[in-house]
Amino acid sequence: MASQDSQDIETATTAIQARPDNKTRRYDRQLRLWAASGQTALESARVLVVSGHATSTSILKNLVLPGIGHFTILDHESVSHADAGNNFFLEGFDSIGKNRAAEAVRLLAELNDSVGGVADTRTLSAVLDTDPDWLASFTIIIVHNLDNVLLERLSSFLWSEPSRPPLVVVRSAGFLADFFVQFHEHTIIESHSETAPSLRIDKPFPALRDHALGLDFDSLDPTDHGHVPYIVILVRVLEDWKKSHDGNPPKTYAERQEFKKHILAMKVKSDEENFDEAEAQAYRCWTETKVPSEIATLFEDHAISPEALHAHPPADVHPSRHEILTPSNYIHLQRLYKTRAEEEKQAFKSHLRAPVDDVIVDLFVKNAHALQVLRGKQWGVFDQDKFALADALASYPKETSTHLAMSALFALEGTTSGRLPSIERLHQHVQTIVGDGVELPEMLDDAIGELARAPSAELPNTAAFLGGMVAQETIKMITKQYVPVKGYCIIDLVDTWTGVIGA
């Protein structure tokens, strides 16, 4: 083993790490999820929440704890007896009569002293009339159980300009709820895909191929023979196979079984697990390395041009990673991949048409196999598309029925003059939304029954569940990591299920 290799291993395994600072210790678990880049985005975020309801404060709790930069609650209402009974971020009867936003901000701020929070006692209507540009100063806006007329005004204002912030619309009543994220376009570099990048075994780059072919297995001592990485074994066996099969990999079942036998026949001892691993991973030899279909569609997307992106990544620009790093041959293999990755990164950089920070380039290249470009819709468009609704009712009757019942409830709230909407009126309005010729499923009655039973009830357990789910999707949008829910997420805590429609 070379001295440099020994030093690398020793440094990697025995170096004394500096004591983490208070911030790192505080956010340790979440840093493992979205790393420093995600935490920086979170700490730079300004979040506006319209209303200080129990659900709103539950959402904010799950954003304040991980450290968003700043939040504002826009609410002109005073704390009612109902608020005092279901909102954990109010001080019971002591808060009654006080401004709901101010009380919630004061108690939420106690969760994390690094997060700033303010209460704004204006009405949303007044803001839209006199200071709409203030809304555009936020990173993301969240609304809960907002009046339909105001919601349509807010949604249209934010949608009218692509640079304006995304809007998260949350609705709940009793044990039912739904939420929707409105955005024009959302790009994701770190999607954290479960699909690993290719190891290039079927199409090895020159240095990897030369290394595999130059290895004399017969002259290796038993210890080194048992530590040859399975990648090298597969590349070598595949290259030998192609020489006798017109350059083709194993194609039929019989050929693939024969290929596996060749691998196991190379063992010199029965307990050589690296050859067992190579046999288990043999499918990589006949799985073609190519640009993933999701990435291929981006090259065909007319909205993504060199002028818009300033870059076009070459195919398969990503390094491989291997778990075992102790023996020298694994270190050498890792260096081969790192060197190749650096070469491809430089090739990628030659395509850039504007300066880009090296950190961003490294991140992009590393995740080039799992990039995402999502295009969203305006809130409410789905309910105006009768063909889409009919299709959703046929494919997802339970989820669509719950969504339609929620839409009917909130549409009728402003027209019933304080009276609770009846089951008959809710059913009639759902029929109006989907059209007279569409047959409604029987399960719609269950959703309407729950909403008629508790049309204005904000239950603490529903609020807590929504608080976690909506905060999670909000963090995805802010950090631009992981893939957010696209469409309407439907939640039924009576039967305990969730679903997505209208994507």
Side-chain angles (χ1 to χ4, degrees), residues 136-337:
S137 67
F138 291 93
T139 308
I140 193 165
I141 297 173
I142 304 170
V143 300
H144 173 249
N145 283 6
L146 189 61
D147 172 79
N148 251 23
V149 175
L150 271 178
L151 179 54
E152 289 173 4
R153 284 188 65 192
L154 176 63
S155 169
S156 297
F157 170 75
L158 296 175
W159 187 258
S160 65
E161 175 55 55
S163 63
R164 288 173 182 158
L167 172 67
V168 184
V169 180
V170 188
R171 306 186 298 187
S172 67
F175 286 107
L176 303 182
D178 67 4
F179 68 86
F180 176 84
V181 184
Q182 170 183 297
F183 61 90
H184 275 277
E185 183 177 275
H186 184 66
T187 56
I188 310 169
I189 294 178
E190 296 176 272
S191 64
H192 299 270
S193 171
E194 293 182 1
T195 302
S198 169
L199 294 174
R200 317 278 187 92
I201 290 173
D202 65 315
K203 298 176 181 177
F205 50 90
L208 176 61
R209 183 177 182 274
D210 292 344
H211 173 64
L213 294 178
L215 198 62
D216 186 355
F217 282 82
D218 294 335
S219 65
L220 293 176
D221 65 52
T223 299
D224 288 340
H225 196 274
H227 284 96
V228 176
Y230 83 85
I231 295 172
V232 176
I233 297 171
L234 289 178
V235 171
R236 174 62 172 272
V237 176
L238 181 60
E239 291 299 315
D240 290 344
W241 174 278
K242 287 180 177 179
K243 290 177 183 177
S244 58
H245 291 82
D246 298 325
N248 296 314
K251 294 182 177 180
T252 66
Y253 175 78
E255 286 181 341
R256 291 170 181 176
Q257 293 303 112
E258 182 184 353
F259 184 84
K260 291 181 179 181
K261 289 179 181 178
H262 279 312
I263 295 171
L264 297 178
M266 295 176 67
K267 283 185 173 184
V268 296
K269 294 191 298 183
S270 61
D271 62 349
E272 289 183 322
E273 295 181 359
N274 55 332
F275 286 90
D276 293 332
E277 187 177 13
E279 191 264 349
Q281 298 291 327
Y283 70 91
R284 295 177 181 271
C285 294
W286 50 80
T287 301
E288 184 183 3
T289 296
K290 57 184 179 180
V291 178
S293 58
E294 296 84 357
I295 305 303
T297 59
L298 298 183
F299 289 103
E300 300 168 1
D301 192 328
H302 297 298
I304 303 176
S305 65
E307 290 72 22
L309 282 183
H310 306 295
H312 275 282
D316 297 311
V317 181
H318 45 71
S320 174
R321 291 170 288 183
H322 201 279
E323 297 175 349
I324 305 173
L325 300 177
T326 44
S328 60
N329 42 17
Y330 285 108
I331 295 293
H332 180 67
L333 180 63
Q334 184 188 50
R335 285 178 177 164
L336 289 178
Y337 275 97

Side-chain angles (χ1 to χ4, degrees), residues 480-501:
K480 293 193 173 184
Q481 293 190 33
Y482 300 93
V483 182
V485 168
K486 190 179 177 185
Y488 293 82
C489 182
I490 317 300
I491 298 162
D492 182 333
L493 296 183
V494 176
D495 295 325
T496 319
W497 55 262
T498 64
V500 177
I501 59 171

Side-chain angles (χ1 to χ4, degrees), residues 364-381:
F364 189 94
V365 168
K366 180 180 177 181
N367 294 280
H369 67 291
L371 302 173
Q372 294 268 352
V373 178
L374 306 180
R375 293 195 174 86
K377 299 176 182 178
Q378 184 179 2
W379 177 87
V381 169

